Amino acid sequence: MLNIVAISFIAVFLVAFLALYSLSARSSQDLKQTLARLDDITGNVPVARAPEAVDILREDVLSDIPWLNDLLHSFNVFPAMRKTLSQADVEWKLSAIILFSILLWLAAGLLVYLRTETLLVALALGALAACGPWLLILHKRTKRFADFEEKLPEALDLMVSPIRAGHGFASAINLAARE
């Protein structure tokens, strides 16, 4: 029983720590941006203000928590996961899905352990519950691909008529997109 209380305490503490760390990192950055905007509006330009370097490369942000973002970038599996999220047209952040999966694993594992008092079964069923968000994303991706395949012939038929009438390819695509 003491093990369950300890695991629950650690899980709650970890989630609270990650949430507070994310908020504090974001609020200090927001404060700096707000002060810079106020300086620009009022005309107060600090003397020692160095020109800001512009980074033209697009940086993928996997998490709002800086150290977690660095950790996630060190794994090579995350670009494929981000591609799957994009294909499923899901706006969730990858770190949020991973955190939610971990929480599902802990919650389901804890509930099964309380019921059966078998650690191996609890871990296995918790891992099965952790796959839930990914199964939902894969289902949405499959449904989106099926919808695309179903509507593609109609879109091509819509594009054929304007092209035959002498309109350009871009206007045919615009017509199909509007329809």
Side-chain angles (χ1 to χ4, degrees), residues 28-152:
S28 65
Q29 185 181 13
D30 290 344
L31 179 63
K32 289 178 186 177
Q33 289 176 349
T34 304
L35 291 175
R37 284 188 203 135
L38 285 174
D39 286 342
D40 290 340
I41 291 171
T42 59
N44 297 337
V45 179
V47 177
R49 185 187 244 183
E52 295 179 16
V54 177
D55 187 12
I56 61 171
L57 297 177
R58 184 177 149 235
E59 181 180 331
D60 289 333
V61 178
L62 300 174
S63 174
D64 290 333
I65 303 169
W67 65 268
L68 184 58
N69 188 37
D70 294 338
L71 179 70
L72 292 176
H73 274 291
S74 67
F75 296 108
N76 289 332
V77 71
F78 293 108
M81 288 179 169
R82 293 208 41 160
K83 181 179 178 184
T84 303
L85 288 176
S86 174
Q87 290 173 344
D89 197 26
V90 176
E91 296 295 325
W92 303 333
K93 285 202 176 220
L94 186 58
S95 61
I97 295 170
I98 292 171
L99 184 61
F100 186 63
S101 293
I102 291 171
L103 290 176
L104 275 176
W105 186 21
L106 290 174
L110 182 64
L111 290 174
V112 170
Y113 183 75
L114 288 174
R115 182 77 172 143
T116 64
E117 294 184 6
T118 306
L119 185 61
L120 187 59
V121 172
L123 289 175
L125 291 177
L128 186 65
C131 294
W134 290 105
L135 292 174
L136 176 67
I137 290 168
L138 289 175
H139 174 71
K140 285 185 173 194
R141 177 180 173 248
T142 304
K143 184 177 177 187
R144 187 171 184 221
F145 282 178
D147 288 346
F148 178 78
E149 288 177 5
E150 179 183 322
K151 294 177 183 176
L152 182 62

